[in-house]
Amino acid sequence: MSTANQSEMNSRQYSNAWSDYELLDAGDGKKLERWGKVITIRPEIQAHFKPEWSFAEWQDLAHWQFEEISSTQGEWKKLKPQAPEQWGISYESLNFGLKLTKFKHVGLFPEQQANWCFIKEHVSAGQKVINLFAYTGAASLIARANGADVVHVDSVKQMLTWANENMERSQLTDIKWVLEDALKFARRELKRGNRYDGIIMDPPAWGLGAKGERWKLENQLPDLLEAAYGLMNPGGFLILNTYSPKVELADLALCAKQYFSANQVQIKELWMMSKTGKALFYGNILRAIK
């Protein structure tokens, strides 16, 4: 293997399938996934290669196919008469409720499995963890299952409700739910003097705030890292996911350099292999230990 290829492989972090989730195939701008017994076809901008299986084979397997109406919304097409609109899957001891949404998501980002492993390895009972832009709570549940005191922050009420239901499904209790803009809440925590042993951030690439303000991750990245560093206890960890095509590994390294030394930081591309051997890119991740 050439030095360039070796360097490329070293910069990759692969998430793994598990019994209730598989990336079956990918290509032609789509991905074929199995969630428990339900199989979906969803758009995937990074699948800019040819799939291993024909699209006819995909449709023969799948229960649902998401068809885009605009760049942000679409609708689900039922491919099997008995296809459920809501169902559940498990990951280790945790249980998640899944359902079809108009944004193509079903309630879980399985490519985060590599980060779930990192959280499980680095969190112990009694530690304080804050999950910002926390969605339906997989990372919060992983930390709570390890005994951490968890603060879960999201600006969408329906996501907090969904996450709370997942907590109850998983027979966990006492996650603190915060309905708030994540960065604003983090800054208030700084002023209050609250500190954490784990900071988890999964910000959107872009979007609109509660008052119509525009959010672009590439513009907010320095502020996010500044807040995260301030909230970290010595020895604490940070996980920052970036799905934005405008945030590259070099951008993360440049921002991280202001707060962490080289031996404190790990910056990787997040990938997953399909059952058919296709490698699919999911964005970049920064992990740091203070």
Side-chain angles (χ1 to χ4, degrees):
M1 183 180 290
S2 71
T3 302
N5 287 341
Q6 184 67 56
S7 176
E8 180 181 88
M9 292 308 295
N10 288 341
S11 72
R12 292 186 178 187
Q13 167 83 64
Y14 280 87
S15 285
N16 296 316
W18 67 93
S19 59
D20 263 3
Y21 176 82
E22 279 184 296
L23 175 62
L24 297 174
D25 197 12
D28 289 341
K30 299 179 180 66
K31 57 187 173 183
L32 181 71
E33 300 165 281
R34 179 182 64 79
W35 315 80
K37 295 181 179 180
V38 178
I39 295 175
T40 62
I41 298 171
R42 297 194 291 165
E44 176 50 67
I45 194 171
Q46 297 293 343
H48 46 69
F49 41 78
K50 290 294 179 185
E52 188 68 23
W53 300 336
S54 71
F55 194 61
E57 289 176 285
W58 282 30
Q59 290 188 307
D60 188 52
L61 288 170
H63 297 81
W64 293 98
Q65 178 182 338
F66 188 85
E67 297 182 339
E68 291 180 301
I69 295 172
S70 69
S71 60
T72 58
Q73 294 187 27
E75 58 187 16
W76 290 90
K77 178 182 177 183
K78 184 183 284 191
L79 302 179
K80 298 282 186 295
Q82 303 303 318
E85 294 187 17
Q86 297 188 35
W87 68 103
I89 67 170
S90 299
Y91 175 77
E92 296 185 348
S93 64
L94 306 176
N95 297 303
F96 301 98
L98 304 184
K99 58 188 175 185
L100 309 176
T101 74
K102 61 183 178 180
F103 308 110
K104 82 181 177 183
H105 302 302
V106 297
L108 198 64
F109 293 112
E111 68 272 12
Q112 289 299 313
Q113 186 268 348
N115 283 330
W116 301 342
C117 291
F118 182 92
I119 294 166
K120 189 173 181 180
E121 290 168 4
H122 287 81
V123 170
S124 55
Q127 289 188 320
K128 291 178 64 180
V129 172
I130 187 168
N131 187 8
L132 301 164
F133 312 94
Y135 194 51
T136 58
S140 298
L141 268 59
I142 297 281
R144 185 72 189 110
N146 263 36
D149 296 323
V150 179
V151 177
H152 175 112
V153 186
D154 201 282
S155 62
V156 180
K157 188 174 182 180
Q158 295 94 317
M159 293 300 109
L160 292 186
T161 300
W162 200 338
N164 186 44
E165 290 168 352
N166 285 334
M167 180 185 72
E168 292 173 351
R169 287 184 184 99
S170 301
Q171 298 185 315
L172 297 171
T173 59
D174 298 328
I175 291 174
K176 180 182 177 182
W177 309 108
V178 178
L179 178 63
E180 177 61 282
D181 175 273
L183 183 53
K184 289 178 181 176
F185 182 78
R187 285 171 169 165
R188 277 204 292 276
E189 287 290 86
L190 275 171
K191 290 180 180 178
R192 287 189 282 252
N194 290 330
R195 299 295 180 264
Y196 293 87
D197 304 297
I199 318 286
I200 303 162
M201 295 196 292
D202 197 0
W206 62 272
L208 294 176
K211 297 180 180 178
E213 62 272 28
R214 293 187 177 275
W215 165 280
K216 290 185 178 179
L217 180 56
E218 63 270 23
N219 298 336
Q220 301 292 336
L221 192 58
D223 291 339
L224 288 173
L225 271 174
E226 180 183 29
Y229 182 79
L231 286 173
M232 294 170 72
N233 279 326
F237 70 84
L238 166 66
I239 299 173
L240 171 62
N241 296 289
T242 67
Y243 290 98
S244 172
K246 294 187 178 180
V247 178
E248 299 181 354
L249 294 180
D251 300 319
L252 287 175
L254 189 63
C255 284
K257 192 177 181 180
Q258 298 179 57
Y259 304 102
F260 304 101
S261 61
N263 64 349
Q264 292 177 305
V265 179
Q266 182 185 73
I267 297 172
K268 298 270 191 179
E269 295 178 347
L270 186 59
W271 291 74
M272 185 176 272
M273 291 293 295
S274 74
K275 183 178 181 179
T276 57
K278 302 293 183 178
L280 190 58
F281 173 63
Y282 282 94
N284 300 319
I285 50 176
L286 179 154
R287 298 184 188 134
I289 306 291
K290 189 172 183 180

